[in-house]
Amino acid sequence: MSQQLIDSFGRQIKYVRLAVTDRCNLRCQYCMPAHGIEIAPRADLLTFKEMYRIVRVLTELGVTKVRLTGGEPFVRKDFIKFLEMLSFNDLLETINITTNGAMIAKHIPVLEQMEKVQNINLSIDSLQKEKFFQITRRDVFPEVYETFELLEQSSLNLKLNVVVQAGFNTDEIVDFIALTKEKNVAVRFIEEMPFNGKGQRDIQENWNYTKILEEIQTQFQVKQMVSEKSSTSRNFSIGGHQGSVGIIPAFTRTICNDCNRIRVTPTGTFKNCLFDDGVFNLRDFLRAGASNEELKELFLSLVKDKPANGFVAEANRKQGNVSESMSTIGG
Ligand code: SAM
Ligand code: SF4
């Protein structure tokens, strides 16, 4: 068998999350400051050719899935062409995308035609126009809702990402679940993390996995579903509902044991874990002329240092507490 990416805990890496840009057209409160976010100089971002090479080598080591994220992936010029380019990789099975949906309605027919593009995660934290504006600091709720409806009717699998924000949208948890009655959509509630460009969260109440589940159970009888082992969410069905509900314990980190993921940031930093502070600069390595063989050797050795879980990764950080924006890491 060809060489595979296996960490020191025996976990096989099959999934890479690649953030294609750190730029974004929204300014979500929990992700970015309103003004003055530092964006990387354009020349420091990986080019699409460099990303293609990284993904190609990873797939030769057993990775079969890529998630494209950002920043907002669709703000990067020629992103659709990049999807076409990635589709040429015969070893890649699935291309997933995470998007805020504000500018993608017109691209949906093209996405539907791309065989490997199968799953879209749409981030939407409120179903109320005014509140959506307060959270994202941009008045684009109608555009995002239109994208939601079009995606729901499309051939793509749709998941909604809802970051649960104390004092902002917790009163809408049941409204989001109500959507799953008639619509075949997976609504996933995400624990808020301090990746917001400033660190410290001004949290009034801690909406963790347990509290979110309790809130759901006030109105709905849920039944735990069997999910893929490496799933980032615990998923539930509700009798008579077409869709499903999930909770992503992003901050309490109870899913790390089965993690099969690595990350590459927009500037080419390799990360073994969301909570580490970057392990290796792939961009400089590539630009210094590394061969694909050298890249392979590098990946095989880097994953050996994958920490047991996000708490260990956080404790090992050299550059201080978690405070960078998710837009610079890729969510
Ligand atoms: N711009 C795209 C979007 O919003 O879907 C892709 C990038 S965004 C960083 C990816 C995901 O990370 C989104 O679902 C977003 O809600 C989530 N996210 C960002 N900051 C977060 C935080 N501090 N805590 C939890 N989730 C966060
Ligand atoms: Fe942009 Fe996504 Fe961050 Fe919101 S969560 S600011 S849409 S990168």
Side-chain angles (χ1 to χ4, degrees), residues 30-44:
Y30 52 77
C31 179
M32 281 187 174
H35 305 286
I37 177 112
E38 271 180 43
I39 53 167
R42 210 164 283 276
D44 289 356

Side-chain angles (χ1 to χ4, degrees), residues 1-6 12 14 60-62 300:
M1 197 165 83
S2 60
Q3 288 171 304
Q4 303 284 306
L5 290 171
I6 300 185
Q12 186 176 354
K14 306 274 280 182
E60 287 171 8
L61 295 169
L300 287 165

Side-chain angles (χ1 to χ4, degrees), residues 134-148:
Q134 278 176 25
I135 294 172
T136 62
R137 304 187 179 106
R138 296 290 184 270
D139 195 10
V140 290
F141 179 73
E143 286 86 339
V144 175
Y145 201 80
E146 185 198 1
T147 297
F148 163 53

Side-chain angles (χ1 to χ4, degrees), residues 30-31 69-72 98-100 123 161 163 191 193 195 326 331:
Y30 52 77
C31 179
T69 176
E72 172 51 38
T98 303
T99 174
N100 62 39
S123 302
N161 282 357
V163 177
E191 291 176 344
M193 300 176 285
F195 290 103
M326 274 298 259

